[in-house]
Amino acid sequence: QVTLVESGGGLVQPGGSLRLSCAASTTRFAINAMGWYRQAPGKQRELVAAISSGGRTKLADAVKGRFDISRDGAKNTVYLEMNSLKHEDTAVYYCCASYYYDLDDYDYWGQGTQVTVSS
């Protein structure tokens, strides 16, 4: 069982920055893949970024060059650094985790944190 606790969402102006954090706790095995998805109103949930326990990363084309994902293994925490934010980045951002290495498939999800980009 994995519990994920997200923080760091909020309101930011276009061009601004935010950092999301997600702390994971597990009662069983070591967590391997961790990531962030987002879902905007009326749209499907989409992968934003993911990172393996070995540091392999994956970023959606829409955020490359603006967002960065990192991980503190000792703290079991994943971060999403978001820069040059745009209106279209507005969404609920969900942290996710898996015991496996697949960066596209997750079993555990956080409650979500709202990110709103608006002037």
Side-chain angles (χ1 to χ4, degrees):
Q1 185 69 26
V2 176
T3 302
L4 301 169
V5 179
E6 301 139 331
S7 60
L11 174 65
V12 63
Q13 292 186 342
S17 299
L18 276 177
R19 188 173 86 152
L20 305 182
S21 301
C22 174
S25 60
T26 176
T27 58
R28 296 186 65 189
F29 310 109
I31 295 169
N32 282 305
M34 295 188 75
W36 292 93
Y37 277 69
R38 67 185 180 186
Q39 187 166 21
K43 294 188 177 181
Q44 288 189 331
R45 189 176 295 192
E46 61 178 0
L47 176 67
V48 177
I51 186 168
S52 72
S53 57
R56 179 169 56 99
T57 61
K58 181 175 183 177
L59 286 169
D61 288 342
V63 304
K64 283 180 180 176
R66 300 189 298 121
F67 290 14
D68 187 35
I69 187 167
S70 61
R71 181 170 178 168
D72 185 332
K75 297 180 180 179
N76 246 356
T77 299
V78 65
Y79 305 97
L80 184 67
E81 189 74 38
M82 304 185 292
N83 301 306
S84 302
L85 282 160
K86 305 176 181 180
H87 289 290
E88 50 264 42
D89 295 317
T90 295
V92 178
Y93 284 69
Y94 296 91
C95 177
C96 50
S98 170
Y99 290 126
Y100 304 101
Y101 291 99
D102 188 344
L103 296 183
D104 294 304
D105 190 16
Y106 297 91
D107 300 309
Y108 301 98
W109 296 85
Q111 77 284 359
T113 185
Q114 177 70 46
V115 171
T116 302
V117 184
S118 175
S119 53

